[in-house]
Amino acid sequence: MIGEPPPGPDGDEPRRSPALARPYAWTEGRTAPSVEIAVEALVETTAAGRVEAGYQSSSALAEVLELCLRPRSLMEVAALLGLPLGVVRVLVSDLMQDHLVIVRDTLSDTSSWGERHDLMERVLHGLRDL
């Protein structure tokens, strides 16, 4: 029938696709962050964020705060949480506005080609490790 999921590998139960609705529920349906954050930018929990992490219930925000006790790239946070990058961008931008995390850009407008090349190498190495 039209609209039904395709049958599973054994032909009996329908195959279910992973639901993306839940992660976007954490962002209240928002898909655009209030601040643009590069995928390689380093996210770190602030002192206020460390205190707040102790009070947070198990939520995506609490998980971000816990993961970023040591600096991690936005891409790494998304991979470790198993969430879409867009969702993590929104969560991190919300935490930034509340001063619970800081985000450090890895390059500036005046960065040299060598610095950019080194960053690309680090990102590729990080992707291989994931």
Side-chain angles (χ1 to χ4, degrees):
M1 292 184 111
I2 296 175
E4 289 185 14
D10 298 328
D12 49 358
E13 293 199 24
R15 216 181 303 162
R16 304 272 182 224
S17 61
L20 287 177
R22 184 174 174 207
Y24 285 99
W26 291 326
T27 64
E28 299 170 347
R30 292 173 295 138
T31 58
S34 56
V35 178
E36 192 56 40
I37 306 168
V39 295
E40 75 277 0
L42 296 177
V43 181
E44 186 174 5
T45 303
T46 63
R50 291 171 195 267
V51 171
E52 184 70 23
Y55 293 111
Q56 291 273 341
S57 61
S58 63
S59 70
L61 291 172
E63 290 181 48
V64 172
L65 290 172
E66 185 69 30
L67 277 175
C68 296
L69 290 174
R70 73 176 184 89
R72 295 186 188 268
S73 72
L74 186 74
M75 179 178 19
E76 185 179 6
V77 173
L80 290 170
L81 292 177
L83 293 175
L85 189 57
V87 170
V88 175
R89 270 195 173 115
V90 172
L91 294 174
V92 168
S93 71
D94 289 351
L95 290 168
M96 273 180 63
Q97 288 185 327
D98 292 338
H99 307 288
L100 300 176
V101 298
I102 54 172
V103 177
R104 292 188 180 96
D105 286 330
T106 53
L107 295 176
S108 69
D109 292 339
T110 59
S111 297
S112 69
W113 168 247
E115 291 169 321
R116 294 175 190 278
H117 184 267
D118 289 344
L119 173 64
M120 287 187 281
E121 288 292 327
R122 289 194 309 271
V123 169
L124 284 173
H125 180 71
L127 286 171
R128 287 187 196 113
D129 288 346
L130 292 176

